[in-house]
Amino acid sequence: MTVELSSRIDGILEAVSVDVGDSIVRNQVVAKLESEVEQAALEYARAKASIDSDVRLQEVSLAYGRRQLNRIKELHEKKLSSFQDYDKVDTETRLTRYKLAQAKEIKYLAELDLKQAEALYNRHTIRSPIDGIVVDRYLNPGESVEERPIVKIAQVNPLRVEVVAPVSLLGKIKLGQLAMVSPEKPVGGSHQAVVKIVDPILDAASGTFRIRLEIPNENSKLTSGLRCQVRFLDKMVQRQPALPKVEKEAPARMQQADEETAVSANNSDDAVVSQPLNPAVNTIRASNPYFLIVTNDSHLPLRKAEHQAAVLNQKGLKDTWVIPKGSLKGHISLGYFNNRRIADNYYKKLTEMGIDARIIEQ
């Protein structure tokens, strides 16, 4: 098999690191295009994505706001402070929480910009898609690519053998059948090959059809381009028996009293997935208590809660679900756990991400 390697984008070649006769491996750098502008854009995006001062500022402000809210709440419960003061501090704390979420969203977008800049920069590096040998080089540094191939690579392991067989062999050669291949001098010898393709289309003019074989050539001892003779054997390649499939046990379903959600869990304590309850599936009520983590926001309108859940999904939280009714209507479920320790660890992780949540024991 040969590949004429080219670039996905137009540009000027900065370097070609291989030449005719060189052995190369998969993903090895073959050539590079000029990329000063893309490299500068990448450095800018990397610096922008590494800035988290706004996030830390809002985290400190939120922590201070919560402490202040707790103090004013105690004073208000003792009737030593007016409701107006309590409402003011509560509103400021909520605003700080949203500012923190906004700062994290901006940082997330900066990280996406960094990935885009890296992808654009990497497009200027041309790598080999296969292991092989360079058999031709078409362009040199300073030349424009313009959809032209840069080098030609031949894969020599495995080595392909193209056989033109008479029509009398049609139907007698099977996939996986073994054959002995004898190349002409100076290589010579006999080498075992395996039938990989049997062309079902005949050439009516010559009364022949194609057969493709493959020979292992790990040390590149065999050279391509030689004529050879093939003798088909009445043997098939030995295949390793398929391993029996191990089916996972179906997870138990637990039903919640107020919210129509369910949990799928396997034998591992760490694997807990939240999903809507499917009425078609028989459910059982858990005998042991389990723990629900929800957002700490008050009853939000469902549309606003769905938008907030989408924002959490963008941050990497995939198991979110808006509770549609019950005492927690408008809250966002962040996961079920049947182990308190795991629930506490996940709650701590959410807190570090700046997500205000609480644990409810069911």
Side-chain angles (χ1 to χ4, degrees):
M1 181 179 69
T2 58
V3 175
E4 289 190 336
L5 189 61
S6 60
S7 173
R8 293 176 290 179
I9 57 176
D10 293 337
I12 305 299
L13 277 174
E14 179 180 322
V16 180
S17 55
V18 296
D19 208 341
V20 176
D22 291 345
S23 297
I24 59 177
V25 296
R26 180 183 174 88
N27 290 328
Q28 179 178 334
V29 175
V30 174
K32 287 186 177 182
L33 303 180
E34 294 181 354
S35 56
E36 291 84 357
V37 176
E38 288 75 15
Q39 184 174 3
L42 175 60
E43 293 176 356
Y44 173 78
R46 184 177 289 119
K48 186 177 179 181
S50 64
I51 297 176
D52 60 351
S53 57
D54 193 20
V55 174
R56 289 183 292 176
L57 174 63
Q58 298 301 334
E59 287 176 346
V60 173
S61 299
L62 180 60
Y64 172 74
R66 286 174 176 171
R67 293 195 302 270
Q68 191 174 10
L69 179 61
N70 291 334
R71 288 193 292 266
I72 200 69
K73 185 177 180 180
E74 293 177 359
L75 294 176
H76 179 66
E77 291 175 351
K78 296 178 181 179
K79 299 188 178 189
L80 298 177
S81 176
S82 65
F83 176 77
Q84 183 177 2
D85 294 337
Y86 172 77
D87 183 60
K88 179 181 178 181
V89 176
D90 181 54
T91 303
E92 291 176 350
T93 304
R94 290 177 180 273
L95 291 176
T96 304
R97 186 184 307 149
Y98 292 132
K99 288 180 180 179
L100 174 59
Q102 184 181 33
K104 291 189 175 183
E105 291 169 0
I106 293 175
K107 181 173 176 58
Y108 175 73
L109 293 177
E111 292 173 352
L112 292 182
D113 290 339
L114 174 59
K115 291 182 179 180
Q116 183 181 20
E118 288 177 343
L120 292 175
Y121 177 75
N122 291 335
R123 287 166 70 97
H124 290 71
T125 301
I126 297 93
R127 299 178 181 272
S128 173
I130 59 174
D131 299 335
I133 297 176
V134 179
V135 297
D136 207 344
R137 173 171 165 174
Y138 303 112
L139 300 177
N140 295 306
E143 295 185 283
S144 176
V145 177
E146 294 182 351
E147 300 182 358
R148 293 184 295 171
I150 302 171
V151 295
K152 186 177 182 179
I153 304 171
Q155 186 182 50
V156 294
N157 182 33
L159 193 63
R160 291 182 176 179
V161 179
E162 298 290 342
V163 179
V164 180
V167 68
S168 59
L169 292 179
L170 185 63
K172 299 180 180 180
I173 308 302
K174 307 296 183 182
L175 295 180
Q177 186 173 344
L178 297 178
M180 297 304 296
V181 179
S182 300
E184 63 182 1
K185 298 296 183 178
V187 177
S190 295
H191 308 273
Q192 183 173 282
V194 181
V195 176
K196 292 296 183 179
I197 296 177
V198 177
D199 192 352
I201 307 300
L202 296 175
D203 184 0
S206 61
T208 59
F209 66 100
R210 288 190 318 116
I211 301 174
R212 177 180 294 173
L213 299 87
E214 286 188 357
I215 305 176
N217 191 25
E218 296 180 357
N219 298 325
S220 301
K221 293 182 179 179
L222 301 179
T223 304
S224 61
L226 297 177
R227 292 181 178 273
C228 57
Q229 294 182 348
V230 178
R231 179 170 58 90
F232 292 98
L233 307 177
D234 294 331
K235 295 181 181 180
M236 304 294 290
V237 64
Q238 295 182 356
R239 300 183 181 274
Q240 294 182 353
L243 296 176
K245 294 183 179 179
V246 180
E247 297 183 357
K248 294 182 179 180
E249 297 182 359
R253 300 274 183 173
M254 297 185 296
Q255 182 180 13
Q256 184 184 358
D258 293 333
E259 294 78 25
E260 296 180 357
T261 55
V263 159
S264 298
N266 57 17
N267 294 332
S268 174
D269 290 338
D270 296 332
V272 181
V273 181
S274 302
Q275 59 183 17
L277 180 64
N278 184 356
V281 179
N282 293 329
T283 60
I284 59 174
R285 185 176 300 275
S287 58
N288 296 326
Y290 55 95
F291 307 93
L292 169 68
I293 299 183
V294 297
T295 53
N296 206 22
D297 292 327
S298 305
H299 301 275
L300 295 176
L302 292 181
R303 182 174 299 179
K304 187 174 181 180
E306 290 173 354
H307 173 73
Q308 185 66 20
V311 173
L312 294 175
N313 288 338
Q314 294 178 354
K315 295 181 178 180
L317 300 179
K318 301 301 182 183
D319 300 325
T320 60
W321 185 70
V322 177
I323 301 175
K325 61 181 181 179
S327 59
L328 295 175
K329 178 181 179 182
H331 288 72
I332 301 174
S333 171
L334 302 176
Y336 275 107
F337 300 86
N338 55 8
N339 185 298
R340 179 68 192 216
R341 178 180 59 82
I342 304 240
D344 290 338
N345 291 338
Y346 191 64
Y347 171 78
K348 182 179 179 181
K349 178 181 177 181
L350 294 174
T351 303
E352 293 175 352
M353 296 173 62
I355 299 174
D356 192 13
R358 57 193 172 109
I359 301 177
I360 300 176
E361 182 177 346
Q362 299 290 336

